[in-house]
Amino acid sequence: MARGDTPQDSYHLVGISFFILGLGTLLPWNFFITAIPYFQGRLAGANSTNGTLGTNHNSPVDAFNFNNWVTLLSQLPLLLFTLLNSFLYQCIPETVRILGSLLVILLLFALTAALVKVDMSPGPFFSITMASVWFINSFCAVLQGSLFGQLGTMPSTYSTLFLSGQGLAGIFAALAMVMSMASGVDAQTSALGYFITPCVGILVSIVCYLSLPHLEFARYYLAKKSSLAQGRELETKAELLRSDERNGVPNSPQKAALILDLDPEKEPQLEPEEPQKPGKPLVFIILRKIWLMALCLVLVFTVTLSVFPAITAMVTSSTSPGKWSQFFNPICCFLLFNVMDWLGRSLTSYFLWPDQDSRLLPLLVCLRALFIPLFMLCHVPERSRLPILFPQDAYFITFMLLFAVSNGYLVSLTMCLAPRQVLPHEREVAGALMTFFLALGLSCGASLSFLFKALL
């Protein structure tokens, strides 16, 4: 709780810094998937001067399954580091994790930009690109988790700003793609300018992070985090021992790691307010309460990542070749998805419907599975099994509007409702569990995308 002597955020510099840091955490994923046409051109055997930003090369890329692999190798690190975060965050100082991750991401993006100028055969180019995707997203996962840890002691407004920055990262990447294509320069210069843009974004993020210790408002909350963390660790360990002695449960490192991730602003309340069966860890009790929300979250992201961008990026305009055909996918797939997804997430600020007790929520989540066949039956020219039932552009645009809004809204809704189903002292563990199931849904969807692409 802020007191009267709490410093003020002069000129909102700390808020702006966390907004930019939020933008920086999701720039890599969005810039890679939005540039799929460029990578398709390179993997089709084209040299760096012919790897354009706006043209689909569907047929030759099928051998590499680039769309599927870039999605899978972007999401698996998130799942991995969600499982390892407690161990990793205790071993490596916070400043090293954040600044080191930003520097590695910057170097790898600089390598991606440099490769635009390098003629290379498709095989080695694919291997280098996939390695970059894996390592960039691994460090992004560490960066995101570490920044969320810093935000734990800040007022909730700063978490909102950070999430808003993340939400706008996809829009930023799509606009950068459209502007690069519309610039009128040659394809190589256009691609180079596109990949230099996130390098500048990461550099600005580094400057913002380095500026935080020099801002009195940020220093106040970050110093409070350090002092509270030390006292909380001792208090938590003592309370765990007392709780385990009462319940006859052996000390659990996993349980201690989860509890130590609690918000330092909140006093840990580990004494159960309801009967707890001996030998049953806290995490399973919480999971029993939020399992439906967790399952809904997994299903939402499984459906989304199974077709976006693996299938949706393959859809082309049914009109004759021209400017609209060239800009169709960047605008109608990536820009439209990110704008409507951000709008859907914003809607939960005004209402939460249906509530956690309604059977309508699981029904709506399950109905989203209809988008899988709908997108697969859109205008994807290179196919061998399924027919094209929705050739007009209007069908794809309509499907994408509903697909993106429902994704953003249902994700935000489940993340908002889950903490309401547990006791106050259980909410932080519930949040950690929901983060794990979020990563699980992303990974499941990315894995399923291989199957759905093979069915085309």
Side-chain angles (χ1 to χ4, degrees):
M1 181 70 68
R3 300 174 307 197
D5 58 351
T6 302
Q8 300 299 310
D9 185 7
S10 302
Y11 304 105
H12 305 288
L13 291 178
V14 176
I16 293 171
S17 295
F18 275 107
F19 176 86
I20 294 173
L21 284 166
L23 187 74
T25 58
L26 290 188
L27 275 183
W29 152 250
N30 285 287
F31 266 81
F32 268 106
I33 65 167
T34 307
I36 280 175
Y38 158 77
F39 290 111
Q40 288 177 333
R42 294 293 300 267
L43 294 174
N47 60 28
S48 59
T49 60
N50 294 327
T52 61
L53 279 173
T55 307
N56 278 326
H57 302 274
N58 295 312
S59 179
V61 183
D62 287 343
F64 288 96
N65 286 316
F66 179 83
N67 300 7
N68 307 76
W69 280 111
V70 74
T71 306
L72 182 62
L73 294 181
S74 296
Q75 304 310 325
L76 281 180
L78 178 60
L79 179 62
L80 176 63
F81 283 98
T82 300
L83 293 170
L84 296 178
N85 62 357
S86 295
F87 172 78
L88 182 67
Y89 297 170
Q90 290 172 12
C91 296
I92 304 175
E94 189 174 68
T95 302
V96 175
R97 295 196 308 267
I98 295 176
L99 194 57
S101 296
L102 285 168
L103 289 172
V104 172
I105 292 168
L106 175 62
L107 290 173
L108 290 174
F109 251 118
L111 172 64
T112 303
L115 286 178
V116 172
K117 292 283 190 179
V118 178
D119 289 333
M120 188 178 296
S121 59
F125 179 77
F126 177 78
S127 300
I128 293 173
T129 302
M130 289 301 102
S132 297
V133 167
W134 173 268
F135 285 109
I136 284 177
N137 284 280
S138 296
F139 284 99
C140 280
V142 175
L143 173 65
Q144 180 173 283
S146 301
L147 288 172
F148 272 123
Q150 280 202 338
L151 287 165
T153 53
M154 307 286 287
S156 59
T157 307
Y158 293 85
S159 296
T160 303
L161 288 169
F162 182 82
L163 293 171
S164 297
Q166 287 190 319
L168 291 178
I171 300 174
F172 183 78
L175 288 175
M177 166 69 80
V178 172
M179 287 189 290
S180 296
M181 293 168 55
S183 61
V185 299
D186 62 272
Q188 188 184 72
T189 304
S190 176
L192 183 62
Y194 175 79
F195 285 112
I196 287 177
T197 304
C199 294
V200 175
I202 299 300
L203 270 175
V204 175
S205 297
I206 293 173
V207 172
C208 288
Y209 178 70
L210 292 176
S211 71
L212 289 177
H214 302 283
L215 300 173
E216 186 181 5
F217 183 84
R219 278 203 312 270
Y220 172 81
Y221 282 101
L222 295 179
K224 185 164 67 170
K225 176 186 176 182
S226 299
S227 60
L228 284 174
Q230 294 175 359
R232 183 190 59 174
E233 183 175 356
L234 294 175
E235 181 180 352
T236 300
K237 288 180 177 178
E239 184 61 34
L240 276 172
L241 288 172
R242 290 195 296 270
S243 177
D244 288 338
E245 287 171 359
R246 287 194 300 269
N247 297 322
V249 184
N251 291 331
S252 167
Q254 292 82 2
K255 180 177 178 181
L258 282 170
I259 298 300
L260 287 173
D261 283 334
L262 292 175
D263 188 344
E265 290 272 1
K266 301 175 182 177
E267 291 296 325
Q269 304 173 9
L270 298 177
E271 292 186 7
E273 298 181 22
E274 62 179 25
Q276 181 173 330
K277 295 181 180 180
K280 199 163 191 177
L282 177 65
V283 66
F284 291 110
I285 294 176
I286 298 174
L287 185 58
R288 187 178 61 191
K289 298 177 182 180
I290 66 169
W291 71 269
L292 184 58
M293 294 299 105
L295 179 61
C296 287
L297 186 64
V298 170
L299 291 176
V300 169
F301 274 122
T302 297
V303 170
T304 299
L305 269 291
S306 65
V307 291
F308 179 87
I311 303 298
T312 58
M314 297 175 67
V315 178
T316 61
S317 174
S318 58
T319 60
S320 57
K323 282 292 183 183
W324 171 245
S325 178
Q326 182 183 7
F327 284 88
F328 172 78
N329 208 264
I331 293 177
C332 297
C333 178
F334 295 104
L335 183 59
L336 185 61
F337 175 87
N338 285 290
V339 170
M340 300 312 295
D341 177 73
W342 176 79
L343 177 62
R345 292 171 189 259
S346 302
L347 289 176
T348 53
S349 300
Y350 303 98
F351 58 86
L352 296 176
W353 178 89
D355 60 34
Q356 64 265 30
D357 298 321
S358 173
R359 295 181 180 179
L360 189 57
L361 176 57
L363 177 62
L364 292 175
V365 169
C366 292
L367 284 176
R368 288 192 78 249
L370 293 174
F371 286 115
I372 296 174
L374 290 178
F375 282 123
M376 293 176 68
L377 296 174
C378 283
H379 191 259
V380 179
E382 299 297 332
R383 56 174 69 230
S384 57
R385 294 179 178 86
L386 297 178
I388 297 176
L389 297 185
F390 306 108
Q392 285 78 22
D393 297 353
Y395 284 117
F396 178 77
I397 293 171
T398 302
F399 297 156
M400 184 58 71
L401 282 169
L402 298 174
F403 177 72
V405 169
S406 62
N407 178 78
Y409 181 74
L410 291 173
V411 166
S412 185
L413 180 64
T414 53
M415 293 295 285
C416 289
L417 292 179
R420 298 186 175 198
Q421 296 183 304
V422 298
L423 299 171
H425 69 275
E426 299 172 335
R427 286 176 182 167
E428 293 299 325
V429 179
L433 285 172
M434 290 297 285
T435 302
F436 166 75
F437 284 107
L438 182 152
L440 180 63
L442 292 171
S443 299
C444 290
S447 302
L448 279 176
S449 67
F450 288 88
L451 172 63
F452 294 140
K453 187 172 182 179
L455 293 175
L456 281 177

